[in-house]
């Protein structure tokens, strides 16, 4: 599998399904790639957590979590450990997050605090800090080494959270189009910058930073995808997609930060160039409305999922057309 260097319009158009995994017992709620290892993990409605080798398109291990369920998931820095949010028992025990080891199928730590579903989860790229956003209108900051919550931000509405690639800044987005930027070392002092997207009062689904730190990606329940300048908050692009009332869609940057790919309510996926704002490719997902969509950090490959997981790779049968200067 090719390592990402710099993508082109043609290389995006040539992406096609390379592997299909259809044995899930329900919807896939979330997926995540490890930052340095060629691994992917999923959490799904059948209470399973599944680990995949993406270079060989192989399922490595499946564990089931019937007591707590499996909802949002993200890798820690270790390739066989994850943070996973619970679906069950939040009212009674408050064990909203668990630190899991796939190697020996153990729960290494429980994190109690959220009383309602966690809808956003991310780990710092530089240390053991991580954040969770919940529909209880709070964002909590944690440390993998400590059970107790390290900090709480109380917000308006449902939040989405993301760290930048240096781990120095984190963003919190909330309904009404407000994005607040915090210094991760002194978040207790409040945000150092606030952006207002404007014109879209829908709940926020997701927020991401591009790898180069220049752009942010914001998606809302109205299936609008916004590309924002990460420094000043100006809109660099707005892409509106078909509605999907029962499914939240996800969008993703390519690793070079030059393109965005998003699902749509009609079961298609689309790619746009950030610099030109033009659409460069469209595909039928072949799996219905895509609820999870992420590009692998180091490879020319992305994963798209509904109740089926698909790996998309370059179609070698389609020669890439080189534009003459």
């Amino acid at each position: 599998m090719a390592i990402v260097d710099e993508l082109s319009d043609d290389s995006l158009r040539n992406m096609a399904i390379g592997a299909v995994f259809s044995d899930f017992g329900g919807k896939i709620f979330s997926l995540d790639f490890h930052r340095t290892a060629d691994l992917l993990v999923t959490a799904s409605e059948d209470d399973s957590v599944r680990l995949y080798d993406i270079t060989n398109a192989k399922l490595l291990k499946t564990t089931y979590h019937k007591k707590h369920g499996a909802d949002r998931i993200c890798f820690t820095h270790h390739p066989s450990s994850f943070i996973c949010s619970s679906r069950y028992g939040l009212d009674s025990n408050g064990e909203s997050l668990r630190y899991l080891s796939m190697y020996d199928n153990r729960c290494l730590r429980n994190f109690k605090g959220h009383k309602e579903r966690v809808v956003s989860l991310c780990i710092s790229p530089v240390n053991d800090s991580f954040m969770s956003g919940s529909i209880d209108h709070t964002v909590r900051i944690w440390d993998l080494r400590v059970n107790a919550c390290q900090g709480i931000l109380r917000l308006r509405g449902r939040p989405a959270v993301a760290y930048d690639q240096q781990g120095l800044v984190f963003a919190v987005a909330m309904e009404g189009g407000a994005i607040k930027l915090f210094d991760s070392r002194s978040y207790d002092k409040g945000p150092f910058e606030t952006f207002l997207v404007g014109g879209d009062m829908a709940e926020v689904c997701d927020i991401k930073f591009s790898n180069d730190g220049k752009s942010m990606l914001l998606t809302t329940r109205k299936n609008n995808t916004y590309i924002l300048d990460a420094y000043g908050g100006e809109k660099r692009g707005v892409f509106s997609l078909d509605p999907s009332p029962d499914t939240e869609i996800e969008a993703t940057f390519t690793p070079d930060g030059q393109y965005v790919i998003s699902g749509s309510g009609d079961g298609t996926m689309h790619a746009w160039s950030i610099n030109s704002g033009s659409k460069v490719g469209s595909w039928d997902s072949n799996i219905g409305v895509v609820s999870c969509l992420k590009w692998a950090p180091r490879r020319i490959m992305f994963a798209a999922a509904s109740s089926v997981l698909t790996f998309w790779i370059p179609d070698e049968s389609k020669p890439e057309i080189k534009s003459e200067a």
Side-chain angles (χ1 to χ4, degrees):
M1 185 184 292
I3 294 176
V4 170
D5 181 16
E6 187 172 332
L7 297 167
S8 67
D9 293 1
D10 288 327
S11 62
L12 263 289
R13 293 188 192 102
N14 281 354
M15 299 298 285
I17 294 177
V20 178
F21 303 90
S22 57
D23 58 340
F24 291 85
K27 182 179 177 181
I28 299 166
F29 291 132
S30 60
L31 58 81
D32 191 36
F33 288 99
H34 193 270
R35 292 175 64 85
T36 57
D38 288 321
L39 298 169
L40 176 139
V41 66
T42 63
S44 59
E45 190 176 5
D46 61 6
D47 303 327
S48 71
V49 171
R50 305 183 190 213
L51 181 66
Y52 294 86
D53 171 352
I54 64 171
T55 55
N56 297 300
K58 181 181 179 182
L59 174 63
L60 298 177
K61 191 169 184 179
T62 302
T63 58
Y64 287 91
H65 305 266
K66 296 298 184 182
K67 179 180 178 182
H68 295 92
D71 196 344
R72 301 291 166 170
I73 197 162
C74 70
F75 274 102
T76 65
H77 299 292
H78 193 282
S80 63
S81 298
F82 326 98
I83 308 158
C84 185
S85 69
S86 304
R87 292 179 61 212
Y88 315 131
L90 294 176
D91 293 337
S92 58
N93 58 37
E95 293 177 354
S96 52
L97 295 157
R98 288 163 296 128
Y99 177 16
L100 303 174
S101 169
M102 200 74 152
Y103 175 73
D104 50 8
N105 194 23
R106 283 197 305 136
C107 179
L108 303 176
R109 196 177 303 280
N110 281 309
F111 301 94
K112 297 183 179 182
H114 292 299
K115 296 298 184 182
E116 296 188 63
R117 180 178 172 231
V118 170
V119 292
S120 189
L121 184 63
C122 63
I123 191 166
S124 167
V126 297
N127 57 37
D128 287 330
S129 299
F130 68 98
M131 290 189 297
S132 56
S134 168
I135 55 175
D136 64 10
H137 300 178
T138 66
V139 167
R140 290 178 178 258
I141 296 97
W142 313 84
D143 188 308
L144 281 175
R145 300 163 295 183
V146 183
N147 288 81
C149 177
Q150 303 297 292
I152 304 175
L153 304 175
R154 303 188 187 281
L155 307 165
R156 181 187 71 250
R158 166 186 169 147
V161 294
Y163 284 98
D164 76 340
Q165 294 302 312
Q166 287 71 46
L168 299 175
V169 172
F170 66 80
V172 177
M174 64 202 77
E175 67 179 74
I179 300 172
K180 297 180 183 292
L181 299 184
F182 295 81
D183 185 326
S184 59
R185 298 157 297 185
S186 55
Y187 56 82
D188 55 322
K189 296 179 181 179
F192 66 83
E193 187 69 86
T194 299
F195 305 144
L196 293 174
V197 174
D200 190 340
M201 302 302 289
E203 284 188 334
V204 169
C205 293
D206 193 21
I207 188 167
K208 293 183 174 79
F209 283 93
S210 59
N211 283 351
D212 59 13
K214 295 179 180 178
S215 304
M216 288 187 295
L217 184 159
L218 179 73
T219 56
T220 74
R221 293 291 294 270
K222 287 185 177 179
N223 285 7
N224 290 327
T225 298
Y226 298 91
I227 311 302
L228 307 172
D229 180 272
Y231 304 112
E234 296 87 1
K235 291 180 187 176
R236 300 185 63 188
V238 181
F239 311 114
S240 296
L241 298 148
D242 287 352
S244 53
D246 301 321
T247 304
E248 297 173 11
I249 63 167
E250 186 173 11
T252 184
F253 284 113
T254 54
D256 59 5
Q258 301 304 303
Y259 299 92
V260 167
I261 302 176
S262 176
S264 181
D266 62 355
T268 59
M269 298 183 296
H270 306 273
W272 295 270
S273 165
I274 293 175
N275 290 330
S276 70
S278 60
K279 185 183 290 188
V280 299
S282 295
W283 310 270
D284 184 340
S285 74
N286 294 291
I287 59 171
V289 179
V290 170
S291 55
C292 302
L293 182 64
K294 283 189 173 72
W295 195 288
R298 303 166 54 246
R299 300 290 181 179
I300 304 179
M301 176 260 186
F302 67 86
S306 54
S307 58
V308 176
L309 173 65
T310 52
F311 292 175
W312 289 69
I313 59 175
D315 185 348
E316 301 297 342
S317 68
K318 296 180 181 178
E320 186 172 334
I321 302 171
K322 301 292 185 182
S323 300
E324 294 185 4

